[in-house]
Amino acid sequence: MKIIYQTEEGLSIITPTGELSVAEVARKDVPAGVNYWIVEDSEIPTDRTFRNAWELGDSLGAPDGQGIGSDAWFAEQGE
């Protein structure tokens, strides 16, 4: 599974390591207030030639959530 979200520079992709659930990684690592989608690895193009031009497609539907950013996430954890 991958986490994707749109930035001004293009599409950002996060690959969770398995230490946290995919949903927790998304909440923590996606910037606060930014929508994210959790997708299968197969939905990410393997040809990275034009990666800076990638955009989120309408076929993804509603976002899976919004990031809260690492500062807020760590505050929730009491760290």
Side-chain angles (χ1 to χ4, degrees):
M1 301 294 276
K2 304 267 193 230
I3 302 158
I4 60 175
Y5 62 97
Q6 192 71 45
T7 69
E8 290 180 15
E9 293 81 33
L11 188 68
S12 287
I13 302 169
I14 299 172
T15 303
T17 63
E19 277 186 56
L20 298 171
S21 71
V22 174
E24 281 302 296
V25 171
R27 290 184 69 236
K28 177 175 81 68
D29 292 339
V30 174
V34 175
N35 292 331
Y36 65 81
W37 289 258
I38 298 171
V39 299
E40 294 292 332
D41 292 359
S42 61
E43 293 188 54
I44 306 296
T46 55
D47 182 358
R48 298 169 55 103
T49 305
F50 298 106
R51 182 172 175 184
N52 288 341
W54 292 355
E55 294 182 3
L56 295 174
D58 294 333
S59 65
L60 293 175
D64 291 306
Q66 277 192 343
I68 64 170
S70 60
D71 290 341
W73 188 87
F74 282 112
E76 281 184 356
Q77 308 310 305
E79 297 179 27

